Amino acid sequence: MIKLANVTPNTLSYFMLNLVLSRDVDMSSMVLLGILVVFLLGIIFNYIFKMVEMAYVMKYRKPMYNHVYLYLKRLDKSQRLILEKQFTFYNKLPNKSKRYFEHRVFRFIEDKEFIGRSGVEINDEIKVLISATAVMLTFGFRDFYIGLISKIVVYPTKFYSKTNDAYHKGEFNPKLEALVVSWEDFKEGYKTADDNLNLGIHELTHAIHINSIKERDVSSTIFSDTFKELSDLLVNDEALRARLMTSGYFRKYAFTNQFEFLAVVIENFIETPNTFQLEFPEIYVKVKQMLNFNIVGY
């Protein structure tokens, strides 16, 4: 019995040649030959595609494509209404992009386990708004699932965390693959659209950042490589670094560590893109590249 998973292109070619040259080729051998040919062509095509895309990414710093779906899923009417009434980003998208966005929200909800704590009952509003925030941040990604998140835990207000024996509004725990948020504070993040304070964006950026280090899909690679470019830029440009720290545009919490810096920077990028671009165009370009954010208004 031949195990295809352990067969290399060279051994496949040798095996097929023997089949073709054999005088005793029967119908079952021809079927097997056909399967092997398809399998080998698949390997070759996948290799060629990866090489071509690698060259494309190196030149243009973005994936060759993001949105290719066999069938677009639809949220039900009440779920779509939540997006239309409460999620400004969705309403700014053209109709075609809205369909992609809706499909991704549907799939994200389907992929994650939502858990209520301290009396929180998980409803469509919770599922749709948290998922929509994740989809917004990864809308320029091909793989939008953020694989390191398997469950989303929702508390009514601040919760006690054993990670540092303190009360938190939100946290991402990669070991437990859990995003944990206070629903009160998550909703507060969307009440003022331009204050650069958004719990959902902040915590989901942590998840995307850590996930990009772990995964090697094309979008994660662009994200992590561009963040390294941004870090190098700030290390080497002393004047930019000084201006960054004294401008007051980014809140002081950004300078806690590299993870908090990126989370705060992306909060600002989403909520006040025009100001960001005017104040720090060099950093803005890098963040836009990280997220592959080719969207009107950004």
Side-chain angles (χ1 to χ4, degrees):
M1 181 178 179
I2 297 173
K3 295 183 179 179
L4 294 181
N6 297 323
V7 177
T8 65
N10 286 337
T11 57
L12 275 172
S13 301
Y14 178 77
F15 181 75
M16 287 188 291
L17 181 61
N18 281 339
L19 274 177
V20 171
L21 295 177
S22 173
R23 295 180 179 180
D24 300 320
V25 176
D26 56 17
M27 184 58 70
S28 61
S29 297
M30 291 300 295
V31 171
L32 180 57
L33 177 62
I35 293 171
L36 291 173
V37 168
V38 171
F39 184 73
L40 180 58
L41 288 174
I43 292 174
I44 294 170
F45 176 80
N46 184 58
Y47 177 80
I48 292 172
F49 175 79
K50 285 185 175 179
M51 292 300 100
V52 170
E53 183 166 51
M54 185 182 298
Y56 183 91
V57 168
M58 289 178 67
K59 183 175 181 179
Y60 297 106
R61 312 299 286 168
K62 64 179 182 179
M64 289 180 67
Y65 68 91
N66 289 332
H67 302 288
V68 176
Y69 313 104
L70 292 176
Y71 178 75
L72 289 171
K73 293 288 188 177
R74 298 298 301 266
L75 296 171
D76 64 38
K77 187 175 180 179
S78 62
Q79 291 174 322
R80 198 177 312 119
L81 198 60
I82 293 168
L83 280 180
E84 292 170 352
K85 287 188 173 183
Q86 299 190 54
F87 211 76
T88 304
F89 180 87
Y90 171 80
N91 291 314
K92 291 180 179 179
L93 296 173
N95 289 334
K96 187 177 182 180
S97 294
K98 282 182 179 178
R99 291 287 291 110
Y100 294 153
F101 193 92
E102 185 181 340
H103 169 83
R104 288 189 168 196
V105 170
F106 182 101
R107 287 298 194 188
F108 194 89
I109 291 172
E110 190 177 56
D111 187 63
K112 310 305 177 188
E113 179 186 5
F114 288 81
I115 302 167
R117 291 280 190 259
S118 301
V120 169
E121 293 186 11
I122 299 298
N123 54 30
D124 278 346
E125 183 185 30
I126 290 173
K127 289 181 180 180
V128 168
L129 292 182
I130 293 176
S131 299
T133 304
V135 168
M136 172 179 65
L137 294 173
T138 59
F139 203 55
F141 290 23
R142 185 183 304 164
D143 182 354
F144 60 92
Y145 287 103
I146 316 177
L148 267 184
I149 299 176
S150 64
K151 50 185 171 286
I152 297 171
V153 182
V154 184
Y155 284 85
T157 57
K158 291 179 184 178
F159 55 90
Y160 183 76
S161 174
K162 293 181 180 179
T163 57
N164 63 347
D165 294 322
Y167 282 89
H168 289 186
K169 295 178 180 179
E171 69 177 27
F172 172 62
N173 189 322
K175 289 184 179 179
L176 299 178
E177 297 187 345
L179 178 77
V180 189
V181 297
S182 152
W183 184 238
E184 177 182 78
D185 293 289
F186 180 93
K187 288 295 293 292
E188 185 68 29
Y190 283 105
K191 283 184 179 178
T192 305
D194 59 355
D195 63 354
N196 297 326
L197 289 168
N198 187 299
L199 176 70
I201 292 172
H202 190 97
E203 297 303 332
L204 279 160
T205 296
H206 286 323
I208 293 167
H209 187 180
I210 297 171
N211 191 72
S212 76
I213 296 169
K214 176 181 177 291
E215 302 291 345
R216 296 315 297 168
D217 63 278
V218 64
S219 296
S220 293
T221 299
I222 292 169
F223 186 95
S224 56
D225 286 356
T226 307
F227 181 64
K228 184 180 184 306
E229 292 172 9
L230 174 58
S231 300
D232 291 343
L233 172 66
L234 293 174
V235 167
N236 296 323
D237 193 330
E238 187 175 344
L240 174 61
R241 190 169 66 252
R243 187 160 55 88
L244 181 74
M245 298 184 70
T246 58
S247 71
Y249 176 61
F250 298 106
R251 67 183 188 273
K252 290 181 180 180
Y253 191 58
F255 308 110
T256 306
N257 55 53
Q258 64 168 336
F259 293 98
E260 299 303 343
F261 173 75
L262 182 58
V264 170
V265 163
I266 290 183
E267 282 179 276
N268 288 49
F269 177 86
I270 295 294
E271 295 212 338
T272 56
N274 294 330
T275 305
F276 195 155
Q277 189 171 20
L278 286 171
E279 294 258 355
F280 296 98
E282 314 95 318
I283 300 174
Y284 179 90
V285 167
K286 292 297 183 185
V287 176
K288 185 173 181 178
Q289 181 176 291
M290 289 173 69
L291 298 176
N292 189 32
F293 235 58
N294 298 309
I295 297 166
V296 175
Y298 292 91

